[in-house]
Amino acid sequence: MQRINLIFVCPFFFFYILYLMQKNNKERLPRPGVVSSSSVASARKSRKKALSVVMDNGLVNVTLSVPEGMVTGIQYNGIANLLEERNKENDRGYWDIVWNLPEAHGNIFDKLAATSLNVVLEDENGIELSFTRTYDDSIYETQLSLNIDKRFILLRGYPGFYTYGIFERLEGWPDINVYQGRTVFKLQEKLFEYMAVSDERQRIMPTADDRARGQILDYPEAVLLTNPANTFLRGEVDDKYQYSSDNKDNRVHGWICPDPPTGFWMITPSNEFKTGGPVKQDLTSHVGPTTLSMYFSTHYAGEPLALTFRDGEPWRKVFGPVFVYLNTLQENDTEPLSLWADAKEQMLIETESWPYSFPLSEDYSFDYQRGSASGRLLIQDSYISERLITGNSACVGLAAPGDAGSWQTENKAYQFWAVADSEGYFLIKNVRPGNYSLYAWVPGYIGDYKYDFYVNIRPGNRITLGALTYNPPRNGPTLWEIGIPDRTAIEFFVPEPSPRLMNQLYSVNQAEKFRQYGLWDRYSELYPSEDLVFTVGVNNYQTDWFFAHVNRNVGNKTYVPTTWQIAFDLDNIDFFGTYMLQIALASANEAELQVRINNPDEEAPYFTTGTIGKDNAIARHGIHGLYRLYSLEIPGSQLLFGRNIIYLTQSRGSSPWRGIMYDYVRLEGPPEYT
Ligand SMILES: *[C@@H]1O[C@H](CO)[C@@H](O)[C@H](O)[C@H]1NC(C)=O
Ligand SMILES: *[C@@H]1O[C@H](CO)[C@@H](O)[C@H](O)[C@H]1NC(C)=O
Ligand SMILES: *[C@@H]1O[C@H](CO)[C@@H](O)[C@H](O)[C@H]1NC(C)=O
Ligand SMILES: *[C@@H]1O[C@H](CO)[C@@H](O)[C@H](O)[C@H]1NC(C)=O
C-alpha cells in the first residue's frame, strides 16, 4: 500500500513530499520534519505557481508540476535550479512525442502533460511517482492515442534521479504514425558552458544567444558564429547534428558548470528500448544547453524508423529508465574535467546494475524474469579460408522476428545485442521473455546473418545455441575490392572543411572530421569538371575515393548528378561465366544509383537501385545511415580483355544532400570448382 503520510497539502494548493535521506547514513532516519506551510509558500510566493511536488533525498531536490509531470526544478550543490528558470515550467524538463494521423500534413508535437499523479512508492529507500494520461477516444482527431505513464524515481543516497515511461495503445485505436520520443532537459545557460559527449568530443560551447547573433547556413540547425560572446569561438560552425552518436556509443553525455563545479549527465544503462539496433544514430546534447535522451526517432534513417500503427494493433513498451546523474568535485579536486571521469564511472556502475531492481511498473522486467542466449558465430567463406573463420567482434542480437537485417528498421519491440569476442563467442544477457529472431553481422564481411530458428526466451532461461555458421554473400574469388565492409564510409577520403566553416573540435579530432559542416561542397572543388575515376591497382581508397557520392555544385545553388568510374584490367575472361559485383551502401538519401558496364552512354542502365533512402546522413554529418547490399550478376560476355570501366551514376540532382555513401565494392570472378 502507498504510504502517503508524508504528503500534506498546504494552503495555496501545494503539497510536498518531504523525504530526507542522507548519503551513507545507514541508521534509521529520523522521521522527516514537517516543513511549515508558510516556508513552502514563502519559497514560492514570488510567483503565481501551479501545484507542484518535490522529491528530496538530502542530496538533490527535484520539483515536478502536478498533475502534468514536468520537471520544473532541480536543486543541487547549492544551485537553486540547474534548469533554465527563464523558460516556462513546461519547457525545462519534459517528455515529448512527435506524431500525426496517417494522411495529415505537418507533425504534432505533444509534451505529454499528464492529468493525474499517483505516488507509487514513498519509503525510506526511495520515491517513485507516476504521472499518467489516459487516451479519450472521443477526441481522437487532436489527441495522441497513447496511454502515457511517466515515472520519476529518487533513491536514497543517489545524487540524481531516474525517469522511465510506459506507452500503451489498446486494440482498435485509430491509425497513427509516431516519429520521435524523447526526454529533454534545458539547463541554465549562465552556468553550463562545457559539453562532453565522449572522451574525444568535448568542448566549450557557444550559447543560444551566440547562435541567434550568427548567420544561418544552408539549413536552420547550422549556424556560423559571427559574433559570439566568447571571441575565440568566432568563425566556427555550430550544428547539433555534429554531436550525434551511434546508440551503442551513447551511454553518457552532458554538461559541466565550472562554478560551483557541477556536472549534469544523461546516463543510458541499456539500449534494449531504443529502436533500430546498436548503430542507429541520434542526437545527444547540444547548444541550449540541452541534454536529450532520444528513445526513438527517424534521424539518420527516415520513414522506416517511424512507428506506424494500423488496423487497431495493440502495443505497449517501457522506455528507460535512464539516469540523470549529478556530480560535484571531491574535496581538494579543482579540475572540473574530473566530473566527466566520474560520470563515466557512474555509467559503468549503472550499466552493471542493469536490469535495475527498483522500478515498480508491472511492465518493467526484473532480472529473474529475463533469460539469455549464448553461442559462437563462425564464418564460412572458402575464398578466404578452407577452414571456418571465427566471428571476431561480430554484433549478435535478438530482435523481433523478421528477415535478415530487419532489425535496423525494427521499431516497436525491444532489442538485445552483444559483441562477440575474438573467437566469435557471444552471450546476450538480460533478455526480456519473448519470441525473437537472432541476427548478426561481422565487421570485415558483407551481408546479414539470421539464425534459421526462432529463439524463445522464458524467465530464467539460459539458451545455448552452439556453433552457428554464417555464409556471407560470395560467388567467386575477389578480383578487386574498394573499402572495408564495416557499414560505414569512414575508411574513405574525408576532406578538410572549408576554412570558413570549421568546428575546431574536429580539426583537433581528425578521426571524426566527417562531422564537419559542408563537406558535400568539397567534392566540387576537388572535381570541378571531371568526376572521380578510381583505377584499380593505381588508386588508393583512403585518399582517392571521396567518402560520399554527392552532386556537383555548378554555382548558383545548382547541383547536378555525377558519374564515378572504376577502371580495371582483365587479362582473361570467362565469357560463359558469371561475375558478381557486390555493392554495399552505408547511406542513401533520395538517391538512385545506376550501374553501367563499359558503356557510359547506354540509355537504360545495366542496373538501378531505383529511388532509395531518406537517412539524410550527408547533411547531418553521419558517416553512415541504413545499410544496403546489392549483388549484381555480370555475365562474362559484358566484359572486355584489358581495360574495363564500371560507371556509377547517382542520377538525382538538384540538392547537395541527395547522394549515397559506399561501404564497400567488390568484383568477384566466376566460381572456382575444386
Ligand atoms: C531541498 O529543499 C529543502 C527545503 O527547501 C532544503 O532545506 C534543502 O536544503 C534542499 N536540498 C538541496 C539538496 O538543495
Ligand atoms: C584536503 O587538503 C587539506 C589541506 O592540504 C588536507 O588537510 C585534507 O586532508 C585534504 N582532504 C582530502 C579529502 O584529501
Ligand atoms: C515466433 O514468431 C514467428 C513469426 O511471427 C512465428 O511464426 C512463431 O510461431 C513464433 N513462435 C512462438 C513460439 O511463438
Ligand atoms: C542564378 O539563378 C537565378 C534564378 O534562377 C537567375 O535569375 C540568375 O540569372 C542565375 N545566375 C547565374 C549566374 O546563372
Side-chain angles (χ1 to χ4, degrees):
M1 284 314 298
Q2 294 161 19
R3 288 178 43 197
I4 52 168
N5 53 324
L6 298 178
I7 301 176
F8 63 93
V9 180
C10 312
F12 310 109
F13 306 106
F14 300 117
F15 68 95
Y16 195 85
I17 296 177
L18 181 68
Y19 197 80
L20 293 170
M21 295 181 285
Q22 300 300 329
K23 195 177 190 182
N24 303 327
N25 182 354
K26 301 266 192 262
E27 296 159 42
R28 182 138 186 98
L29 290 164
R31 274 205 93 60
V34 172
V35 173
S36 78
S37 53
S38 65
S39 84
V40 174
S42 68
R44 291 161 186 184
K45 71 169 189 266
S46 59
R47 237 184 263 182
K48 184 174 174 292
K49 295 267 268 200
L51 286 164
S52 62
V53 59
V54 181
M55 303 193 294
D56 174 2
N57 65 359
L59 299 169
V60 54
N61 286 345
V62 183
T63 307
L64 296 117
S65 63
V66 177
E68 297 85 357
M70 307 290 171
V71 185
T72 60
I74 302 173
Q75 193 175 1
Y76 175 72
N77 199 24
I79 301 171
N81 198 349
L82 302 184
L83 302 181
E84 182 54 79
E85 290 208 310
R86 292 182 299 178
N87 291 4
K88 290 197 183 118
E89 291 216 326
N90 71 354
D91 194 28
R92 298 177 191 172
Y94 54 89
W95 283 71
D96 67 26
I97 272 192
V98 176
W99 70 285
N100 215 334
L101 298 171
E103 315 307 325
H105 293 287
N107 292 334
I108 302 172
F109 182 75
D110 186 334
K111 283 195 173 172
L112 307 186
T115 53
S116 166
L117 164 62
N118 176 23
V119 180
V120 180
L121 173 79
E122 186 199 10
D123 71 12
E124 64 227 26
N125 293 313
I127 298 169
E128 179 161 345
L129 303 180
S130 157
F131 293 88
T132 56
R133 181 176 89 187
T134 306
Y135 170 59
D136 171 0
D137 64 3
S138 64
I139 50 169
Y140 85 88
E141 284 290 334
T142 52
Q143 200 193 348
L144 171 62
S145 46
L146 277 184
N147 287 337
I148 309 290
D149 183 354
K150 298 185 290 183
R151 302 283 183 119
F152 295 89
I153 297 174
L154 187 71
L155 298 180
R156 169 195 179 120
Y158 275 72
F161 62 95
Y162 297 85
T163 185
Y164 68 114
I166 304 107
F167 297 160
E168 175 189 52
R169 280 173 54 87
L170 301 184
E171 205 159 342
W173 283 4
D175 292 355
I176 55 170
N177 297 338
V178 185
Y179 299 104
Q180 179 172 288
R182 56 181 196 170
T183 312
V184 181
F185 292 98
K186 296 185 174 172
L187 311 185
Q188 252 205 70
E189 194 175 325
K190 281 208 302 278
L191 298 179
F192 291 92
E193 56 182 40
Y194 190 90
M195 189 179 91
V197 172
S198 71
D199 283 339
E200 296 77 24
R201 293 202 283 158
Q202 38 182 279
R203 59 170 294 158
I204 290 183
M205 293 293 283
T207 64
D209 291 339
D210 291 342
R211 280 180 57 96
R213 284 193 301 273
Q215 173 201 334
I216 292 178
L217 296 170
D218 282 342
Y219 45 84
E221 292 90 340
V223 167
L224 182 63
L225 303 170
T226 49
N227 190 18
N230 253 334
T231 50
F232 70 88
L233 299 176
R234 181 176 299 149
E236 287 205 59
V237 171
D238 179 69
D239 176 352
K240 64 183 175 182
Y241 291 102
Q242 294 185 320
Y243 302 104
S244 297
S245 284
D246 281 11
N247 285 344
K248 67 177 164 44
D249 305 321
N250 179 1
R251 311 310 288 261
V252 54
H253 60 89
W255 291 84
I256 291 174
C257 161
D259 188 22
T262 308
F264 183 103
W265 307 106
M266 174 58 66
I267 292 181
T268 308
S270 164
N271 278 327
E272 66 178 39
F273 44 81
K274 297 210 173 181
T275 65
V279 290
K280 167 76 169 63
Q281 292 158 95
D282 229 313
L283 294 168
T284 57
S285 288
H286 61 264
V287 167
T290 300
T291 287
L292 305 173
S293 176
M294 301 291 304
Y295 303 103
F296 58 91
S297 80
T298 54
H299 293 147
Y300 302 94
E303 206 74 10
L305 266 283
L307 286 66
T308 54
F309 294 101
R310 297 291 184 272
D311 304 322
E313 166 195 3
W315 178 69
R316 184 186 299 187
K317 187 169 168 183
V318 180
F319 294 91
V322 294
F323 185 39
V324 175
Y325 176 60
L326 310 172
N327 59 3
T328 185
L329 292 180
Q330 302 286 320
E331 196 184 321
N332 295 351
D333 188 346
T334 54
E335 174 47 62
L337 283 181
S338 306
L339 298 172
W340 165 247
D342 176 66
K344 285 194 298 176
E345 270 174 45
Q346 190 65 35
M347 178 272 283
L348 294 176
I349 293 169
E350 299 298 323
T351 305
E352 277 152 29
S353 317
W354 189 266
Y356 291 141
S357 58
F358 49 81
L360 291 177
S361 162
E362 6 181 280
D363 296 311
Y364 184 76
S365 179
F366 294 111
D367 184 43
Y368 67 88
Q369 294 169 308
R370 297 177 179 231
S372 67
S374 63
R376 185 183 192 193
L377 190 71
L378 299 168
I379 298 157
Q380 185 165 45
D381 184 339
S382 59
Y383 292 97
I384 293 179
S385 164
E386 294 201 346
R387 304 175 56 174
L388 290 173
I389 306 161
T390 56
N392 181 0
S393 305
C395 292
V396 190
L398 293 172
D403 298 331
S406 59
W407 55 269
Q408 70 170 349
T409 54
E410 189 284 312
N411 57 42
K412 288 181 186 152
Y414 303 89
Q415 297 198 19
F416 303 87
W417 287 87
V419 177
D421 68 14
S422 59
E423 296 294 307
Y425 289 101
F426 63 87
L427 167 62
I428 307 171
K429 291 189 292 188
N430 302 323
V431 185
R432 293 175 63 114
N435 180 25
Y436 299 91
S437 287
L438 183 135
Y439 304 98
W441 88 94
V442 194
Y445 299 86
I446 57 174
D448 274 284
Y449 172 78
K450 182 192 163 189
Y451 183 50
D452 288 339
F453 305 95
Y454 296 107
V455 177
N456 243 280
I457 301 284
R458 295 206 191 84
N461 257 10
R462 291 206 190 100
I463 295 177
T464 312
L465 297 167
L468 315 176
T469 307
Y470 175 42
N471 293 285
R474 164 75 81 178
N475 197 54
T478 299
L479 299 183
W480 50 258
E481 59 187 345
I482 299 171
I484 302 169
D486 61 356
R487 298 179 175 237
T488 82
I490 189 124
E491 69 274 28
F492 296 126
F493 177 71
V494 180
E496 294 298 330
S498 159
R500 37 164 227 102
L501 295 171
M502 304 268 258
N503 180 330
Q504 294 298 343
L505 177 61
Y506 301 118
S507 309
V508 177
N509 172 5
Q510 282 280 304
E512 293 183 80
K513 67 179 174 182
F514 62 85
R515 300 187 194 276
Q516 295 276 21
Y517 177 85
L519 301 184
W520 48 84
D521 274 345
R522 302 302 279 178
Y523 177 79
S524 313
E525 291 162 31
L526 284 162
Y527 303 92
S529 50
E530 305 285 314
D531 281 325
L532 185 151
V533 178
F534 186 93
T535 304
V536 170
V538 173
N539 291 117
N540 178 336
Y541 65 78
Q542 285 116 325
T543 50
D544 305 326
W545 187 271
F546 200 78
F547 77 103
H549 190 160
V550 288
N551 291 316
R552 174 179 290 105
N553 182 354
V554 292
N556 210 10
K557 293 200 186 288
T558 304
Y559 286 82
V560 299
T562 55
T563 296
W564 291 10
Q565 299 177 35
I566 303 171
F568 59 99
D569 294 328
L570 292 177
D571 309 338
N572 59 62
I573 298 170
D574 176 353
F575 285 104
F576 301 103
T578 299
Y579 292 69
M580 187 77 87
L581 184 63
Q582 307 279 8
I583 302 180
L585 299 185
S587 162
N589 193 53
E590 299 176 347
E592 177 178 349
L593 175 62
Q594 301 179 346
V595 180
R596 290 179 175 78
I597 297 162
N598 287 325
N599 184 358
D601 303 321
E602 205 172 32
E603 190 156 334
Y606 180 75
F607 170 81
T608 175
T609 59
T611 303
I612 49 169
K614 215 168 183 339
D615 63 32
N616 218 5
I618 294 169
R620 289 176 170 176
H621 335 290
I623 195 69
H624 71 93
L626 296 183
Y627 178 76
R628 290 177 171 80
L629 175 66
Y630 298 93
S631 298
L632 279 53
E633 286 187 2
I634 300 178
S637 55
Q638 293 273 329
L639 299 170
L640 306 170
F641 280 117
R643 179 55 50 103
N644 288 263
I645 298 179
I646 290 173
Y647 297 89
L648 302 170
T649 302
Q650 196 295 100
S651 63
R652 292 175 48 93
S654 90
S655 156
W657 307 303
R658 283 183 171 166
I660 58 179
M661 292 182 206
Y662 298 92
D663 166 32
Y664 174 73
V665 185
R666 177 169 80 208
L667 183 67
E668 297 165 359
E672 286 166 353
Y673 300 101
T674 50

